[in-house]
């Protein structure tokens, strides 16, 4: 706080801890009063952990710590295991089945799951269920020979929903009153 509106020459700061990164602030002017400075990060991190940047500009010194993480399919993360990722986003599979039941019960079981203290678990759609099937050996806990419900509803016939057969990865649809297994996912 307390910016004077005056110019600054910017700065470039190398990371410590996890090295290989640089934080760059372009030359500009401080905002009068309260404002923000935006640094651009570049480089390739030397590993995982915390990259620290000692910032000292305008008479203010602070340390900016950034967690450097990598993802791998099957890696424990946020109450489950990573099932799929694309850059910083993806989804996590619950560590085990949430039970079995009709499609409506499956939706409730998935939404009621609180793995890792997270409460945003859902029933996977048929495409996400296919990814779970593909990575089933790495993720673990799937019951061989079971059908698993998806959130995908069929337009015809009415009251049918999609499922995946864990034995061979085949997809199909079934009456929502049948009892199939449930494996919840959550996005990150």
């Amino acid at each position: 706080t307390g910016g004077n509106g005056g110019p600054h020459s910017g700065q470039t700061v190398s990371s410590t801890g996890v090295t290989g990164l640089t934080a760059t602030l372009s030359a500009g002017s401080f905002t009068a009063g309260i404002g923000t400075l935006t640094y651009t990060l570049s480089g390739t991190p030397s590993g995982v952990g915390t990259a620290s940047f000692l910032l000292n500009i305008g008479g203010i010194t602070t340390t900016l710590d950034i967690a450097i993480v990598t993802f791998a399919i099957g890696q424990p993360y946020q109450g489950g295991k990573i099932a799929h990722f694309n850059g910083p986003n993806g989804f996590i599979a619950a560590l085990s089945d949430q039970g079995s039941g009709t499609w409506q019960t499956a939706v409730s079981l998935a939404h009621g799951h609180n793995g890792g203290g997270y409460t945003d678990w859902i029933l996977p759609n048929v495409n996400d269920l296919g990814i779970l099937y593909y990575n089933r050996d790495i993720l673990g806990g799937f019951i061989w020979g079971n059908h698993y419900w998806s959130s995908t509803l069929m337009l015809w016939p009415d009251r049918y929903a999609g499922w995946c057969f864990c034995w061979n990865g085949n997809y199909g649809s079934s009456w929502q009153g049948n009892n199939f297994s449930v494996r919840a996912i959550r996005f990150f």
Side-chain angles (χ1 to χ4, degrees):
T1 64
N4 61 10
H8 64 78
S9 59
Q11 70 178 162
T12 299
V13 180
S14 296
S15 61
T16 60
V18 174
T19 59
L21 298 173
T22 302
T24 303
L25 173 66
S26 297
S29 296
F30 293 108
T31 301
I34 298 173
T36 60
L37 298 173
T38 302
Y39 286 77
T40 301
L41 296 181
S42 61
T44 302
S46 61
V48 297
T50 302
S52 298
F53 300 87
L54 181 61
L55 308 177
N56 183 350
I57 191 162
I60 304 292
T61 300
T62 190
T63 300
L64 171 66
D65 290 328
I66 298 177
I68 306 299
V69 297
T70 58
F71 296 123
I73 303 299
Q75 173 185 337
Y77 189 64
Q78 295 184 350
K81 288 186 179 180
I82 294 176
H84 175 73
F85 64 94
N86 183 6
N89 303 310
F91 70 88
I92 299 161
L95 296 174
S96 61
D97 292 351
Q98 282 59 67
S100 64
T102 66
W103 184 82
Q104 191 61 48
T105 300
V107 171
S108 295
L109 288 170
H111 284 242
H113 185 59
N114 67 351
Y118 293 91
T119 58
D120 56 349
W121 295 88
I122 60 172
L123 199 59
N125 68 36
V126 73
N127 293 325
D128 296 336
L129 195 57
I131 291 170
L132 294 181
Y133 169 77
Y134 182 79
N135 293 320
R136 69 192 179 285
D137 293 334
I138 297 169
L139 298 172
F142 287 90
I143 299 172
W144 187 85
N146 278 18
H147 291 75
Y148 284 82
W149 279 121
S150 81
S151 63
T152 305
L153 295 174
M154 302 295 139
L155 295 176
W156 186 90
D158 190 30
R159 298 199 37 83
Y160 273 60
W163 53 264
C164 179
F165 189 38
C166 199
W167 175 60
N168 60 10
N170 284 344
Y171 295 95
S173 63
S174 182
W175 179 61
Q176 293 177 14
N178 286 335
N179 287 316
F180 294 153
S181 295
V182 179
R183 179 65 65 95
I185 65 168
R186 64 179 301 274
F187 291 90
F188 65 92

